[in-house]
Each structure stands twice: as structure tokens, then as C-alpha cells.
Amino acid sequence: MKTILQIVLWIACIVLGYLIYRSVTGPIEFKKVKQERFSKVISVMKDIRNSQEAYKTVNGKFANDFKSLISFVDTGKYTITQQRDSSYMEFDKTYGIDLLQEVTIIDTLGFVSVKDSLFKGDDRYKSMMSVPYAQGGEQFEMKADIIDKSGYRAPVFEVKVKKDIVLYDQPKDLLTRENSQISVEEVNGSEIKVGSLTEVSTNGNWPPIYDKKGDQ
């Protein structure tokens, strides 16, 4: 009985030690995985945002679906213009004399491919609807709309994905804690998102740590 008791105690000590070890290292490993995956997700979201802003520049509104957005990136072109001031003399019937008229002239210089401008020959835009690390083929949820802001009809869009999808294989207790984050140093809430359907904004809800120098 003494031997059996010693074995049981040793097993209990090992289990307890492991649980203590995991309680310390678990959150550290979770943070490392989280930041790595969030960085990739946010990078794709920035591609989507850049593509949406280009779409709005050409079409006056944001794309409501990825099929339209990707097709635009694939074939769309920016118009390159140059603005210059000019003036001329015009006879004024009221005063009976020539008066100086000042005008702004916009010259079209040419066109540049949206694809080349944004992605420099990279075709990653063709799969930007897919959520990185998602195991079920999940896609980003994207919507566009026109809202009224002080009498001005403003185009808006929003792209989002649940953290649960990105961190599908992480410990449930740590994931629950992550979904309730409220901090200037964290991605707050249960979703990663960029843009808004209620405000005129194309900002993301991530902290500056994910906006490294050189990122768009």
C-alpha cells in the first residue's frame, strides 16, 4: 500500500506541475499564435481596404461583394490627371470691357492599371476574400452601403471576421478572454474589422502594433 500511495503521489505531483507549467506558458504561446495570425489577417484586410478605396475613386462607391472588387482590380485603370491654372480675357457686356477670367484646367495624361499600382505584379488579390488560417474555407464578411451624414450621402464599407475562426484551435478559456478584450493595445471585441457601416471611416479596430513601418 505504501508503494501504491507513493506512485499516486508522484503522479499527482507530475500532473500538478504540468498544470502549473501550462498556466504560465499557455498564455505566452497563445499570444504568440494570436499575433502571428492576426498580422496575416490584418495584412489581407489592408489589401481589401486599398482595393476598395481604388474602386471608390473610379466608381464613386464601394464594392458590395468580392467578385466585383476582384474583377475591378484585375481590369480597372486609374486616370492620371494634371491640374493647372489658366486665364484669358473675355468681353463683359455689362461693363463693356475685356475682363480677366481665371479657370482651372484638368488634363488627362494617361491611365495606369489598378493591379500594377496596388499589387506590383502579385496576384494575391485573387484570394483576398479567404480568411487566413480558417479551416472551413471561411471568407471575410463584406458589405457596402450609402449612409446619410449631415445631409451628405457618403459611401461606406465594412469587412470583418470573428476571432473564433482565426483562433479555432486555441484553448477555449483563453479564446473567451480574448473575445472580451478592451484595451488600446489589443484588437477589442470578438471580431477583427476594418471600415464601418455607420460611420465614414476606413480605419481598422487593431492597435498600432499591427501597423508596422512600410505597411499600407
Side-chain angles (χ1 to χ4, degrees), residues 1-8:
M1 288 296 295
K2 182 178 180 181
T3 302
I4 294 174
L5 182 60
Q6 288 177 333
I7 293 173
V8 171

Side-chain angles (χ1 to χ4, degrees), residues 143-184:
K143 293 182 180 179
D145 200 358
I146 303 291
I147 63 174
D148 186 282
K149 281 294 179 181
S150 303
Y152 169 69
R153 289 177 58 78
V156 294
F157 82 96
E158 183 179 79
V159 178
K160 60 185 180 180
V161 63
K162 291 185 178 298
K163 291 178 179 177
D164 290 8
I165 293 176
V166 181
L167 301 173
Y168 67 94
D169 58 349
Q170 295 303 295
K172 298 301 181 184
D173 59 328
L174 297 179
L175 185 54
T176 299
R177 188 187 307 171
E178 174 62 32
N179 284 333
S180 60
Q181 284 282 6
I182 301 178
S183 169
V184 295

Side-chain angles (χ1 to χ4, degrees), residues 9-94:
L9 288 175
W10 272 109
I11 293 174
C13 289
I14 292 172
V15 171
L16 181 60
Y18 176 76
L19 292 175
I20 294 173
Y21 171 79
R22 288 301 299 171
S23 69
V24 175
T25 62
I28 296 174
E29 293 176 3
F30 176 83
K31 183 176 182 180
K32 181 180 179 181
V33 170
K34 178 188 73 173
Q35 290 185 344
E36 178 182 346
R37 295 185 185 182
F38 281 12
S39 293
K40 180 60 178 176
V41 169
I42 290 169
S43 177
V44 176
M45 281 187 158
K46 290 176 182 178
D47 281 342
I48 297 172
R49 177 174 61 188
N50 292 340
S51 300
Q52 280 283 29
E53 290 176 340
Y55 188 99
K56 178 177 174 289
T57 297
V58 174
N59 298 288
K61 61 180 181 179
F62 293 113
N64 195 48
D65 59 79
F66 281 106
K67 181 178 179 180
S68 300
L69 185 61
I70 293 171
S71 176
F72 166 76
V73 173
D74 207 31
T75 62
K77 295 182 181 296
Y78 285 118
T79 302
I80 304 175
T81 61
Q82 174 181 276
Q83 181 174 301
R84 57 190 174 89
D85 295 327
S86 184
S87 62
Y88 63 94
M89 301 299 293
E90 182 178 67
F91 181 76
D92 189 292
K93 294 181 180 179
T94 302

